[in-house]
Amino acid sequence: MTQAAEISTAPPPRHDEILIAIREMIFTGELIGGQRVPEKMICQQLSISRTPLREALKVLASEGLLELLPNRGARIARLTASLVDEMFPVMGALEGLAGKIACQRISDDGIDEIRALHYQMAAHYKRGELGEYFGLNQQIHEKIIAATGNATLAGMYTSLAARIRMARYRANFSQPRWDQAMAEHDEILSALTERDGPRLTGVLSKHLKNTCETVKAVIAGGETG
Amino acid sequence: MTQAAEISTAPPPRHDEILIAIREMIFTGELIGGQRVPEKMICQQLSISRTPLREALKVLASEGLLELLPNRGARIARLTASLVDEMFPVMGALEGLAGKIACQRISDDGIDEIRALHYQMAAHYKRGELGEYFGLNQQIHEKIIAATGNATLAGMYTSLAARIRMARYRANFSQPRWDQAMAEHDEILSALTERDGPRLTGVLSKHLKNTCETVKAVIAGGETG
DNA sequence: GCATTGATTTTTGCATTCAAAATGCTACCG
DNA sequence: CGGTAGCATTTTGAATGCAAAAATCAATGC
């Protein structure tokens, strides 16, 4: 085994980094829904040429994060209420499946990790730290999905979650809604601890329905981010 | 309104056609699992340059139909048993959701269309015409998904179905299995006619489990297509 | 005879270039 | 004054060209 083995010391492919960079620009709100994306601008901003950029744009379009208008360039996808109504039932089906499988397969250590994240999140909730709360919240949901050991499921979930993140709905996260969400998370942790698949699936579904309403409220308010 | 309006008389984007062409090459078995895909070869075959081809390859990779090895080109994805075990539960969740929604939303005409497809399929079954059977089978499942009116759901389903189609499992479709599948389809039509969502979901799930076993049998037999 | 090393060839990744479509502007006409 | 036609500019779509990495092959040493 004289070769460098599997550890890739090679420079990372530009194309992937561009993908990540643009996704980040969308999530941070640097690029917002409906906005056109001139290739030249992004090229200068990232110091790359148009070829790898265009490759990344095609992939992002296939993920639904932006739309390509032939001969008229790309624009950031706009999240409509009807799209949200489409996406959340699918999210529900995926998370429901994940809940069921996770209860069967997650290790005790895995549950402990989620519990740790949960209490961290609860602390941020009590201190009113919304940004930190959302970060932990996302991590918990991802951990549950990851606990299924199903990469296909995880990939689809992540893709859908990314499209919803475009809404930046946390801007419309009222205190009552926050209280409710935190209570739902208590239930989630409880169901997971008891490895009660059906209950976890039910709670996740309820949690998701409420999130859906919040997101739609944001969109209806004109903030389509 | 002097412009050409929405009717696109413009030449279709090469990039999309390439995508479709390569997908077709995978489904027809012209490109088989594990096989490397030299850019030059495809370029000559389709009479295009490498730039749009590479854009298409990136998209296909993001769809899971092929994998990109940095600096080492693309290869057709290989369907492993563990991947199939991942994909079918997700398919089940999606089809289950589709069954539920379809029963609520499908029009009577929509049911009639599926019924027509069903009887056509049954005729091919009786005549032992496997290829035609599979074509109709695919159309029926797609119709059920389409009846939900949920494009996000349909897109995810289609993407997963495409990856499974790579297995060309019809090669291993025994007569007993075929009899069983046809019986399941009778049940599917029946549940749909009665608009019995839970029953439809259950039948689709059973149908899918059997398909999963058939696909895995093909893979285990060395034919990874 | 076999393995290893080095040069050659091929292939990939990206930048650049060229052509076509769309956009914006100006001048002209009603 | 408003609208349209024509031209210039900008932007996208695709082909080509160039540099780096990988694969291939030959020669050398053991």
Side-chain angles (χ1 to χ4, degrees), chain B:
Chain B
M1 185 70 84
T2 55
Q3 282 99 328
E6 311 300 336
I7 302 108
S8 173
T9 51
R14 297 251 183 278
H15 158 261
D16 283 346
E17 301 202 335
I18 297 170
L19 259 174
I20 294 168
I22 298 180
R23 266 196 275 257
E24 208 55 35
M25 289 166 87
I26 293 174
F27 296 146
T28 60
E30 199 169 339
L31 295 171
I32 59 178
Q35 191 173 316
R36 295 213 28 200
V37 185
E39 296 174 0
K40 203 174 174 185
M41 188 185 85
I42 308 290
C43 286
Q44 292 171 347
Q45 205 160 338
L46 300 179
S47 301
I48 43 140
S49 82
R50 284 177 56 218
T51 307
L53 171 69
R54 285 171 59 79
E55 291 172 358
L57 292 182
K58 297 282 192 298
V59 172
L60 289 167
S62 87
E63 290 176 3
L65 288 180
L66 48 83
E67 42 195 313
L68 258 37
L69 313 171
N71 287 318
R72 255 180 277 175
R75 74 170 49 165
I76 308 297
R78 193 182 282 276
L79 212 54
T80 64
S82 68
L83 249 183
V84 171
D85 279 330
E86 279 191 1
M87 287 162 63
F88 271 92
V90 179
M91 287 277 282
L94 296 181
E95 258 200 354
L97 175 65
K100 196 180 74 177
I101 301 176
C103 280
Q104 294 165 0
R105 296 205 191 158
I106 194 168
S107 67
D108 290 335
D109 285 354
I111 293 179
D112 286 344
E113 284 175 39
I114 289 177
R115 182 175 294 114
L117 291 172
H118 179 91
Y119 287 124
Q120 270 185 266
M121 185 176 78
H124 288 302
Y125 161 69
K126 279 180 198 140
R127 290 189 222 124
E129 294 159 356
L130 190 59
E132 289 81 355
Y133 170 88
F134 264 89
L136 270 307
N137 177 68
Q138 191 184 326
Q139 280 185 58
I140 289 170
H141 285 276
E142 280 169 2
K143 275 267 185 203
I144 293 174
I145 301 284
T148 64
N150 189 323
T152 304
L153 175 56
M156 289 195 158
Y157 176 86
T158 302
S159 171
L160 265 183
R163 292 174 69 183
I164 289 166
R165 275 173 70 192
M166 294 178 71
R168 295 206 308 289
Y169 62 92
R170 62 181 82 176
N172 209 32
F173 213 59
S174 66
Q175 187 65 42
R177 171 72 192 108
W178 197 359
D179 298 342
Q180 184 187 32
M182 192 62 224
E184 285 159 3
H185 260 277
D186 286 335
E187 272 200 80
I188 289 170
L189 180 62
S190 164
L192 189 63
T193 302
E194 295 167 16
R195 294 177 182 274
D196 185 339
R199 186 177 156 217
L200 179 55
T201 293
V203 178
L204 286 171
S205 170
K206 185 173 61 173
H207 187 57
L208 212 50
K209 273 198 184 64
N210 288 326
T211 304
C212 178
E213 292 311 314
T214 305
V215 171
K216 283 205 288 182
V218 171
I219 291 173
E223 166 102 29
T224 42

